Amino acid sequence: MSETTPLDKEPGQANEKDGLSFQPISGFDLPRYAGIPTFMRLPLLGAKDVGIDDVDIGIVGVPWDGGTTNRPGTRHGPRQLRDLSTMIRRIHPTTGARPFETRNIADLGDAPVNPADVADALQRITGFYTDLKQRGITPLSAGGDHLVSYPILKALAADAPVGMIHFDAHTDLFDSYFGGFKYTHGTPFRRAIEDGYLDPKRVVQIGIRGTMYDDEDILWGLEQGVRIIRIEEVDDRGIADVMSEARAIVGDLPTYVSFDIDSIDPAFAPGTGTPETGGLTTREAQRMVRLLDGLNVIGADLVEVSPPFDPSGGTAWVGVSIMFELLCILAGAPGTKRLRPPLGHDK
């Protein structure tokens, strides 16, 4: 039996011959449609598995949409994103980044959730990410609806508020829905600011657009010091100028990145709960994320992929492509645990 048989290279397992190398399985060793899908064909590790404390970046699914107010289905996002992520290869085509060679990266499974109780689900998610923080693992998360960002921030910013660069069609700064309900996918960042997990003067929201109930969310955000950049301003100023301002606002302090798939035009990503026309192209979105390089990013998420509205997987492919861009940023961030020498060339 050769050294590169599928039995040696089953996705979701560490390669024992190489030690805990955390390397993704090459499509030259096992077809990308074969094997058990894990995020980017990486080893799947749980809290009690050997090697968990050697993980630098953990990719986590948060299969929950209990905060959705209109079209549901994002609870199924992580599973479809995992499946489509098997097409991700090792090397970034533009920057040359090789995240799997410089960091130990693993699929850490799904955060625990409760589909029947919002408060309990938020508590379970926070507990999961608190454990990752204590282990020094930087999380890259796949939602789920956008409310999942709140319990993640609650864990990561428990000691001090952080900044945020937020790509979205909506501010998610609303106060409440349906007569005072405070926790929906339209309220996470208002709660995070109020509770001291986000520094509003270091929050930048990019791509905002669409019809509105009123302007209360925007006015409240501006009063707190949030920088809101509508899609028209992105068009007028250009990507490089907008991202230069975003970098200046967050500076070199700890910063979270949240990417809602609906920031991208539904022509490219229709599988989401609240699509808005006139959004970013996929190419524009990739460029914007690449311009986060070198920032002190402590975690990131990609949310609101809803497979029932795009069973073909096209939206999920856009999502995992953005996740790889975010992964490359996290791999180069100064706070991620440790840098290792290259392990070799991709096949």
Side-chain angles (χ1 to χ4, degrees):
M1 186 177 293
S2 73
E3 292 188 351
T4 58
T5 60
L7 292 178
D8 292 321
K9 299 286 188 177
E10 178 70 11
Q13 300 178 12
N15 183 343
E16 295 180 358
K17 300 197 310 307
D18 298 331
L20 291 170
S21 65
F22 296 84
Q23 291 301 291
I25 307 305
S26 170
F28 289 174
D29 295 330
L30 187 70
R32 295 189 179 276
Y33 58 82
I36 299 171
T38 62
F39 276 120
M40 303 184 195
R41 312 194 97 194
L42 289 160
L44 177 64
L45 297 178
K48 297 181 180 180
D49 287 339
V50 174
I52 184 67
D53 289 321
D54 293 322
V55 174
D56 303 321
I57 300 172
I59 309 181
V60 180
V62 190
W64 188 78
D65 58 6
T68 299
T69 60
N70 184 27
R71 303 199 307 178
T74 57
R75 67 180 64 187
H76 303 292
R79 183 168 292 185
Q80 192 185 47
L81 287 162
R82 273 191 176 89
D83 192 18
L84 272 294
S85 77
T86 60
M87 281 300 297
I88 296 294
R89 302 176 182 88
R90 298 188 185 193
I91 303 172
H92 194 290
T94 303
T95 67
R98 298 175 179 231
F100 307 112
E101 297 177 12
T102 56
R103 307 291 189 188
N104 273 347
I105 306 169
D107 184 334
L108 301 187
D110 288 345
V113 297
N114 182 343
D117 189 310
V118 172
D120 184 60
L122 299 180
Q123 183 176 3
R124 289 169 184 250
I125 296 167
T126 294
F128 183 90
Y129 282 87
T130 298
D131 180 64
L132 296 190
K133 181 181 178 182
Q134 292 171 346
R135 294 175 185 269
I137 297 173
T138 300
L140 172 59
S141 307
D145 73 45
H146 219 151
L147 184 55
V148 304
S149 297
Y150 172 77
I152 296 171
L153 284 166
K154 185 176 181 179
L156 299 185
D159 302 324
V162 300
M164 180 177 69
I165 296 179
H166 170 209
F167 300 92
D168 205 323
H170 315 99
T171 67
D172 295 348
L173 293 173
F174 289 98
D175 181 44
S176 63
Y177 282 61
F178 302 105
F181 193 71
K182 297 287 189 176
Y183 294 94
T184 78
H185 65 167
T187 69
F189 301 127
R190 185 144 178 171
R191 299 288 87 84
I193 290 171
E194 290 175 337
D195 296 342
Y197 305 127
L198 283 176
D199 175 358
K201 294 180 173 57
R202 294 185 55 245
V203 172
V204 186
Q205 301 186 314
I206 302 171
I208 307 303
R209 65 189 192 279
T211 57
M212 304 184 295
Y213 295 112
D214 53 40
D215 57 1
E216 189 271 341
D217 59 318
I218 292 175
L219 293 177
W220 186 89
L222 294 175
E223 289 172 359
Q224 310 310 307
V226 175
R227 177 67 171 101
I228 299 174
I229 302 176
R230 292 185 56 83
I231 193 67
E232 292 82 3
E233 185 175 350
V234 176
D235 289 340
D236 292 342
R237 294 174 54 191
I239 288 172
D241 192 32
V242 165
M243 295 311 296
S244 178
E245 181 188 359
R247 293 178 64 94
I249 289 171
V250 300
D252 59 3
L253 296 175
T255 298
Y256 189 77
V257 178
S258 187
F259 196 106
D260 190 321
I261 199 69
D262 71 27
S263 65
I264 295 176
D265 193 276
F268 303 94
T272 190
T274 315
E276 303 284 1
T277 62
L280 299 169
T281 68
T282 51
R283 185 164 53 194
E284 288 169 337
Q286 287 177 303
R287 282 190 60 205
M288 296 181 103
V289 175
R290 290 169 194 171
L291 290 172
L292 302 175
D293 184 46
L295 292 178
N296 187 5
V297 181
I298 61 163
D301 63 47
L302 181 288
V303 298
E304 296 284 357
V305 170
S306 183
F309 297 107
D310 188 4
S312 71
T315 302
W317 173 237
V318 173
V320 296
S321 298
I322 296 298
M323 286 181 68
F324 182 71
E325 300 284 354
L326 291 167
L327 181 64
C328 291
I329 299 303
L330 291 172
T336 307
K337 272 202 292 194
R338 50 192 167 290
L339 193 66
R340 291 176 176 78
L343 297 174
H345 297 291
D346 186 35
K347 293 185 178 182

Short mmCIF file of all heavy atoms in Angstrom, two decimals, residues 228-267:
data_model
loop_
_atom_site.label_atom_id
_atom_site.label_comp_id
_atom_site.label_asym_id
_atom_site.label_seq_id
_atom_site.Cartn_x
_atom_site.Cartn_y
_atom_site.Cartn_z
N ILE A 228 -20.33 54.27 10.09
CA ILE A 228 -21.22 53.53 9.19
C ILE A 228 -20.93 53.98 7.76
O ILE A 228 -21.09 55.15 7.42
CB ILE A 228 -22.69 53.77 9.55
CG1 ILE A 228 -22.96 53.28 10.98
CG2 ILE A 228 -23.60 53.06 8.55
CD1 ILE A 228 -24.36 53.61 11.49
N ILE A 229 -20.50 53.03 6.92
CA ILE A 229 -20.13 53.33 5.54
C ILE A 229 -21.12 52.63 4.62
O ILE A 229 -21.10 51.40 4.47
CB ILE A 229 -18.69 52.88 5.24
CG1 ILE A 229 -17.71 53.56 6.19
CG2 ILE A 229 -18.33 53.18 3.78
CD1 ILE A 229 -16.27 53.10 6.04
N ARG A 230 -21.99 53.42 4.01
CA ARG A 230 -22.98 52.85 3.11
C ARG A 230 -22.31 52.39 1.82
O ARG A 230 -21.21 52.80 1.47
CB ARG A 230 -24.07 53.87 2.81
CG ARG A 230 -24.95 54.21 4.03
CD ARG A 230 -26.10 55.12 3.63
NE ARG A 230 -26.88 54.52 2.55
CZ ARG A 230 -27.86 53.62 2.73
NH1 ARG A 230 -28.17 53.23 3.94
NH2 ARG A 230 -28.52 53.13 1.69
N ILE A 231 -23.02 51.52 1.09
CA ILE A 231 -22.45 50.97 -0.14
C ILE A 231 -22.16 52.07 -1.16
O ILE A 231 -21.19 51.98 -1.92
CB ILE A 231 -23.39 49.90 -0.72
CG1 ILE A 231 -22.69 49.08 -1.82
CG2 ILE A 231 -24.69 50.51 -1.25
CD1 ILE A 231 -21.57 48.21 -1.30
N GLU A 232 -22.96 53.14 -1.17
CA GLU A 232 -22.74 54.23 -2.11
C GLU A 232 -21.40 54.92 -1.84
O GLU A 232 -20.71 55.35 -2.77
CB GLU A 232 -23.88 55.24 -2.04
CG GLU A 232 -25.22 54.72 -2.54
CD GLU A 232 -25.98 53.92 -1.52
OE1 GLU A 232 -25.51 53.79 -0.36
OE2 GLU A 232 -27.07 53.39 -1.87
N GLU A 233 -21.04 55.02 -0.56
CA GLU A 233 -19.75 55.62 -0.23
C GLU A 233 -18.60 54.72 -0.68
O GLU A 233 -17.55 55.22 -1.12
CB GLU A 233 -19.67 55.89 1.27
CG GLU A 233 -18.40 56.64 1.68
CD GLU A 233 -18.37 57.03 3.14
OE1 GLU A 233 -19.39 56.91 3.84
OE2 GLU A 233 -17.28 57.47 3.59
N VAL A 234 -18.78 53.42 -0.56
CA VAL A 234 -17.75 52.49 -1.07
C VAL A 234 -17.57 52.71 -2.57
O VAL A 234 -16.44 52.78 -3.07
CB VAL A 234 -18.15 51.03 -0.78
CG1 VAL A 234 -17.13 50.08 -1.40
CG2 VAL A 234 -18.27 50.78 0.72
N ASP A 235 -18.69 52.84 -3.29
CA ASP A 235 -18.61 53.06 -4.73
C ASP A 235 -17.90 54.38 -5.06
O ASP A 235 -17.06 54.44 -5.97
CB ASP A 235 -20.02 53.09 -5.34
CG ASP A 235 -20.68 51.73 -5.36
OD1 ASP A 235 -19.96 50.72 -5.27
OD2 ASP A 235 -21.92 51.68 -5.44
N ASP A 236 -18.23 55.43 -4.33
CA ASP A 236 -17.68 56.75 -4.63
C ASP A 236 -16.20 56.85 -4.29
O ASP A 236 -15.42 57.46 -5.04
CB ASP A 236 -18.44 57.83 -3.86
CG ASP A 236 -19.87 58.01 -4.34
OD1 ASP A 236 -20.18 57.57 -5.47
OD2 ASP A 236 -20.69 58.59 -3.59
N ARG A 237 -15.80 56.26 -3.19
CA ARG A 237 -14.42 56.43 -2.71
C ARG A 237 -13.47 55.34 -3.20
O ARG A 237 -12.27 55.57 -3.30
CB ARG A 237 -14.40 56.45 -1.18
CG ARG A 237 -15.09 57.66 -0.57
CD ARG A 237 -15.15 57.54 0.94
NE ARG A 237 -13.82 57.32 1.51
CZ ARG A 237 -13.62 56.97 2.79
NH1 ARG A 237 -14.65 56.78 3.59
NH2 ARG A 237 -12.39 56.81 3.24
N GLY A 238 -13.99 54.16 -3.42
CA GLY A 238 -13.14 53.05 -3.81
C GLY A 238 -12.74 52.20 -2.62
O GLY A 238 -12.71 52.66 -1.46
N ILE A 239 -12.44 50.95 -2.90
CA ILE A 239 -12.16 49.98 -1.84
C ILE A 239 -10.91 50.34 -1.04
O ILE A 239 -10.91 50.30 0.20
CB ILE A 239 -12.02 48.58 -2.46
CG1 ILE A 239 -13.39 48.08 -2.91
CG2 ILE A 239 -11.40 47.58 -1.47
CD1 ILE A 239 -13.36 46.80 -3.69
N ALA A 240 -9.84 50.72 -1.70
CA ALA A 240 -8.59 50.97 -1.00
C ALA A 240 -8.74 52.11 0.00
O ALA A 240 -8.26 52.03 1.14
CB ALA A 240 -7.48 51.28 -2.00
N ASP A 241 -9.43 53.17 -0.40
CA ASP A 241 -9.60 54.32 0.48
C ASP A 241 -10.47 53.97 1.69
O ASP A 241 -10.16 54.34 2.83
CB ASP A 241 -10.21 55.48 -0.31
CG ASP A 241 -10.16 56.80 0.45
OD1 ASP A 241 -9.21 57.01 1.22
OD2 ASP A 241 -11.07 57.63 0.26
N VAL A 242 -11.56 53.26 1.44
CA VAL A 242 -12.45 52.87 2.54
C VAL A 242 -11.72 51.96 3.53
O VAL A 242 -11.81 52.15 4.76
CB VAL A 242 -13.71 52.17 1.98
CG1 VAL A 242 -14.47 51.44 3.08
CG2 VAL A 242 -14.61 53.19 1.30
N MET A 243 -10.99 51.00 3.02
CA MET A 243 -10.31 50.07 3.92
C MET A 243 -9.15 50.75 4.66
O MET A 243 -8.82 50.38 5.79
CB MET A 243 -9.82 48.85 3.14
CG MET A 243 -10.95 48.00 2.57
SD MET A 243 -12.25 47.59 3.78
CE MET A 243 -11.31 46.60 4.94
N SER A 244 -8.54 51.75 4.06
CA SER A 244 -7.51 52.51 4.75
C SER A 244 -8.11 53.22 5.96
O SER A 244 -7.52 53.25 7.05
CB SER A 244 -6.87 53.52 3.80
OG SER A 244 -5.91 54.31 4.48
N GLU A 245 -9.30 53.79 5.78
CA GLU A 245 -9.97 54.44 6.91
C GLU A 245 -10.34 53.41 7.98
O GLU A 245 -10.17 53.66 9.19
CB GLU A 245 -11.22 55.17 6.44
CG GLU A 245 -11.93 55.88 7.58
CD GLU A 245 -13.28 56.45 7.22
OE1 GLU A 245 -13.69 56.32 6.04
OE2 GLU A 245 -13.94 57.01 8.12
N ALA A 246 -10.86 52.26 7.57
CA ALA A 246 -11.24 51.23 8.53
C ALA A 246 -10.03 50.78 9.35
O ALA A 246 -10.13 50.62 10.58
CB ALA A 246 -11.85 50.03 7.80
N ARG A 247 -8.91 50.61 8.71
CA ARG A 247 -7.69 50.21 9.42
C ARG A 247 -7.28 51.28 10.43
O ARG A 247 -6.86 50.97 11.55
CB ARG A 247 -6.56 49.96 8.43
CG ARG A 247 -6.76 48.76 7.51
CD ARG A 247 -5.60 48.64 6.52
NE ARG A 247 -4.36 48.37 7.23
CZ ARG A 247 -3.85 47.16 7.44
NH1 ARG A 247 -4.50 46.10 6.98
NH2 ARG A 247 -2.72 46.99 8.08
N ALA A 248 -7.40 52.54 10.03
CA ALA A 248 -7.01 53.63 10.93
C ALA A 248 -7.92 53.68 12.15
O ALA A 248 -7.47 53.97 13.27
CB ALA A 248 -7.04 54.96 10.18
N ILE A 249 -9.20 53.39 11.96
CA ILE A 249 -10.16 53.45 13.07
C ILE A 249 -9.88 52.36 14.11
O ILE A 249 -9.87 52.62 15.32
CB ILE A 249 -11.60 53.35 12.55
CG1 ILE A 249 -11.97 54.65 11.82
CG2 ILE A 249 -12.58 53.08 13.69
CD1 ILE A 249 -13.29 54.60 11.08
N VAL A 250 -9.63 51.14 13.67
CA VAL A 250 -9.40 50.06 14.64
C VAL A 250 -7.97 50.07 15.16
O VAL A 250 -7.69 49.57 16.27
CB VAL A 250 -9.75 48.68 14.05
CG1 VAL A 250 -11.21 48.62 13.65
CG2 VAL A 250 -8.86 48.31 12.87
N GLY A 251 -7.04 50.63 14.39
CA GLY A 251 -5.67 50.73 14.85
C GLY A 251 -5.02 49.38 15.07
O GLY A 251 -5.34 48.40 14.39
N ASP A 252 -4.12 49.33 16.04
CA ASP A 252 -3.39 48.08 16.30
C ASP A 252 -3.91 47.35 17.54
O ASP A 252 -3.27 46.41 18.02
CB ASP A 252 -1.89 48.35 16.43
CG ASP A 252 -1.55 49.34 17.56
OD1 ASP A 252 -2.49 49.77 18.28
OD2 ASP A 252 -0.36 49.67 17.72
N LEU A 253 -5.07 47.76 18.04
CA LEU A 253 -5.66 47.09 19.20
C LEU A 253 -6.50 45.89 18.74
O LEU A 253 -6.82 45.76 17.56
CB LEU A 253 -6.54 48.09 19.96
CG LEU A 253 -5.81 49.28 20.59
CD1 LEU A 253 -6.80 50.24 21.22
CD2 LEU A 253 -4.78 48.81 21.61
N PRO A 254 -6.85 44.99 19.68
CA PRO A 254 -7.61 43.80 19.31
C PRO A 254 -8.90 44.14 18.57
O PRO A 254 -9.67 45.01 18.98
CB PRO A 254 -7.90 43.13 20.66
CG PRO A 254 -6.76 43.56 21.52
CD PRO A 254 -6.46 44.97 21.11
N THR A 255 -9.13 43.40 17.48
CA THR A 255 -10.25 43.68 16.58
C THR A 255 -10.90 42.38 16.13
O THR A 255 -10.21 41.39 15.84
CB THR A 255 -9.76 44.46 15.35
OG1 THR A 255 -9.21 45.72 15.77
CG2 THR A 255 -10.89 44.71 14.36
N TYR A 256 -12.22 42.38 16.08
CA TYR A 256 -12.98 41.24 15.59
C TYR A 256 -13.49 41.58 14.19
O TYR A 256 -13.76 42.75 13.89
CB TYR A 256 -14.16 40.97 16.53
CG TYR A 256 -14.90 39.69 16.25
CD1 TYR A 256 -14.37 38.47 16.65
CD2 TYR A 256 -16.14 39.70 15.61
CE1 TYR A 256 -15.06 37.28 16.42
CE2 TYR A 256 -16.83 38.52 15.38
CZ TYR A 256 -16.28 37.31 15.77
OH TYR A 256 -16.95 36.14 15.53
N VAL A 257 -13.63 40.58 13.33
CA VAL A 257 -14.16 40.77 11.98
C VAL A 257 -15.41 39.91 11.84
O VAL A 257 -15.37 38.71 12.08
CB VAL A 257 -13.14 40.40 10.90
CG1 VAL A 257 -13.76 40.58 9.51
CG2 VAL A 257 -11.87 41.25 11.03
N SER A 258 -16.51 40.56 11.45
CA SER A 258 -17.76 39.84 11.23
C SER A 258 -18.22 40.08 9.81
O SER A 258 -18.39 41.24 9.38
CB SER A 258 -18.83 40.29 12.23
OG SER A 258 -19.99 39.49 12.12
N PHE A 259 -18.46 39.00 9.07
CA PHE A 259 -18.82 39.10 7.66
C PHE A 259 -20.16 38.41 7.43
O PHE A 259 -20.26 37.18 7.49
CB PHE A 259 -17.75 38.45 6.79
CG PHE A 259 -17.85 38.83 5.34
CD1 PHE A 259 -16.95 39.71 4.77
CD2 PHE A 259 -18.84 38.31 4.53
CE1 PHE A 259 -17.03 40.08 3.44
CE2 PHE A 259 -18.96 38.67 3.20
CZ PHE A 259 -18.04 39.56 2.65
N ASP A 260 -21.17 39.23 7.19
CA ASP A 260 -22.49 38.71 6.84
C ASP A 260 -22.52 38.48 5.33
O ASP A 260 -22.21 39.38 4.55
CB ASP A 260 -23.56 39.72 7.25
CG ASP A 260 -24.98 39.17 7.15
OD1 ASP A 260 -25.27 38.44 6.17
OD2 ASP A 260 -25.81 39.50 8.00
N ILE A 261 -22.93 37.29 4.91
CA ILE A 261 -22.94 36.97 3.48
C ILE A 261 -23.87 37.90 2.71
O ILE A 261 -23.68 38.09 1.49
CB ILE A 261 -23.33 35.49 3.27
CG1 ILE A 261 -22.92 35.00 1.87
CG2 ILE A 261 -24.83 35.29 3.48
CD1 ILE A 261 -21.43 34.87 1.68
N ASP A 262 -24.84 38.56 3.39
CA ASP A 262 -25.71 39.46 2.65
C ASP A 262 -25.06 40.80 2.33
O ASP A 262 -25.68 41.64 1.66
CB ASP A 262 -27.07 39.63 3.34
CG ASP A 262 -27.04 40.45 4.62
OD1 ASP A 262 -26.17 41.30 4.80
OD2 ASP A 262 -27.95 40.26 5.46
N SER A 263 -23.83 41.01 2.78
CA SER A 263 -23.08 42.18 2.29
C SER A 263 -22.78 42.03 0.80
O SER A 263 -22.58 43.01 0.09
CB SER A 263 -21.79 42.37 3.07
OG SER A 263 -20.89 41.29 2.88
N ILE A 264 -22.76 40.79 0.33
CA ILE A 264 -22.53 40.49 -1.08
C ILE A 264 -23.87 40.51 -1.82
O ILE A 264 -24.90 40.06 -1.29
CB ILE A 264 -21.83 39.13 -1.24
CG1 ILE A 264 -20.42 39.21 -0.63
CG2 ILE A 264 -21.77 38.70 -2.69
CD1 ILE A 264 -19.65 37.91 -0.64
N ASP A 265 -23.88 41.02 -3.01
CA ASP A 265 -25.11 41.12 -3.80
C ASP A 265 -25.74 39.73 -3.99
O ASP A 265 -25.03 38.75 -4.22
CB ASP A 265 -24.80 41.74 -5.16
CG ASP A 265 -26.06 42.17 -5.89
OD1 ASP A 265 -26.68 41.31 -6.55
OD2 ASP A 265 -26.42 43.35 -5.78
N PRO A 266 -27.09 39.64 -3.88
CA PRO A 266 -27.73 38.34 -4.04
C PRO A 266 -27.57 37.72 -5.42
O PRO A 266 -27.88 36.53 -5.60
CB PRO A 266 -29.21 38.64 -3.73
CG PRO A 266 -29.36 40.11 -3.88
CD PRO A 266 -28.04 40.70 -3.50
N ALA A 267 -27.10 38.49 -6.40
CA ALA A 267 -26.77 37.87 -7.69
C ALA A 267 -25.65 36.84 -7.52
O ALA A 267 -25.58 35.87 -8.28
CB ALA A 267 -26.33 38.94 -8.69
#
